[in-house]
Amino acid sequence: MKIAVYGATGMVGSEVVAEAISRGHEVTSVTRSGKEVEGTTAVAAELGDGAAYRDLGKGNDVIVIAVPPSRTGGDHQEYLDAFEQITETLVPARLVVVGGAGATEVEGVRLVDTPGFPEEYKAEATTCAEVYDMFTSVSGITWTVVTPAPVIMPARRTGSYTLGTDSPAGDFVSSQDFAVAILDEIESPVHENRRMTVASEK
């Protein structure tokens, strides 16, 4: 299978690349700089580069977008504009997008709107929620938004995880197990045109 990964050098993207290579897939790593990533074909592209996105959509079976919005004052509107273009571009590749836990729901209330949600993450969570809403209202593309548990960080690859749909599947997921879940979904699709949440098993 041919898989393109935006954000291939980030915490999640690098694990997705490594997991995909370990399973024998042909990987294109997409970064702003076009940095070489071992075992992949490197491509330089911005998230909002429509021409590059269309080309990647024609040449790959799946496009993974593991590029989060800025937490340090970057332009969230530019990020939203990029996703608006992506959702409106009919490409044959399946789209797998890494979402944000703040956009998931607890008893019908989005996590970002619950009491005690960290203020420093609210802008990012709100933007991720807007991106998810874009996907729920599109047609003509095949997508999955894969959302980690509220806490995600490098730990260890257990290969085991718990899944959910609109609510967090647990409190924590290692970036390695998150990548395992993403590749499992790519290889055996279960959540087409819907969201899935992932947590490491305790």
Side-chain angles (χ1 to χ4, degrees):
M1 191 177 292
K2 294 182 178 181
I3 303 172
V5 182
Y6 276 80
T9 57
M11 179 182 68
V12 172
S14 61
E15 297 292 355
V16 172
V17 167
E19 185 68 26
I21 291 173
S22 75
R23 299 187 187 202
H25 297 295
E26 184 178 330
V27 180
T28 297
S29 56
V30 188
T31 61
R32 284 182 170 180
S33 65
K35 181 179 178 180
E36 294 292 332
V37 177
E38 186 176 355
T40 76
T41 299
V43 170
E46 297 283 344
L47 187 60
D49 184 340
Y53 176 72
R54 286 189 290 274
D55 287 344
L56 288 163
K58 294 173 184 176
N60 289 276
D61 301 299
V62 179
I63 298 175
V64 177
I65 299 182
V67 180
S70 174
R71 290 182 178 174
T72 57
D75 188 352
H76 282 214
Q77 189 57 52
E78 182 179 345
Y79 185 85
L80 290 169
D81 289 345
F83 270 101
E84 184 172 2
Q85 180 171 232
I86 287 167
T87 57
E88 293 176 352
T89 302
L90 302 182
V91 298
R94 183 182 178 196
L95 187 58
V96 176
V97 178
V98 175
T104 58
E105 299 177 0
V106 177
E107 296 182 353
V109 178
R110 279 186 163 161
L111 198 61
V112 66
D113 297 321
T114 58
F117 189 88
E119 189 67 33
E120 62 269 28
Y121 298 139
K122 281 190 175 181
E124 177 187 7
T126 300
T127 297
C128 286
E130 290 187 48
V131 168
Y132 175 67
D133 288 342
M134 287 184 198
F135 283 103
T136 62
S137 61
V138 301
S139 60
I141 61 174
T142 302
W143 58 272
T144 300
V145 172
V146 187
T147 302
V151 178
I152 177 172
M153 64 179 65
R156 67 188 184 94
R157 183 190 186 284
T158 68
S160 299
Y161 52 83
T162 300
L163 294 179
T165 51
D166 290 325
S167 297
D171 297 328
F172 170 81
V173 64
S174 71
S175 54
Q176 294 91 335
D177 285 342
F178 191 55
V180 171
I182 289 173
L183 264 296
D184 285 350
E185 175 65 23
I186 287 172
E187 293 176 344
S188 301
V190 177
H191 299 83
E192 289 190 352
N193 297 337
R194 62 186 299 193
R195 175 165 55 188
M196 60 180 274
T197 60
V198 185
S200 290
E201 290 188 352
K202 294 182 179 179

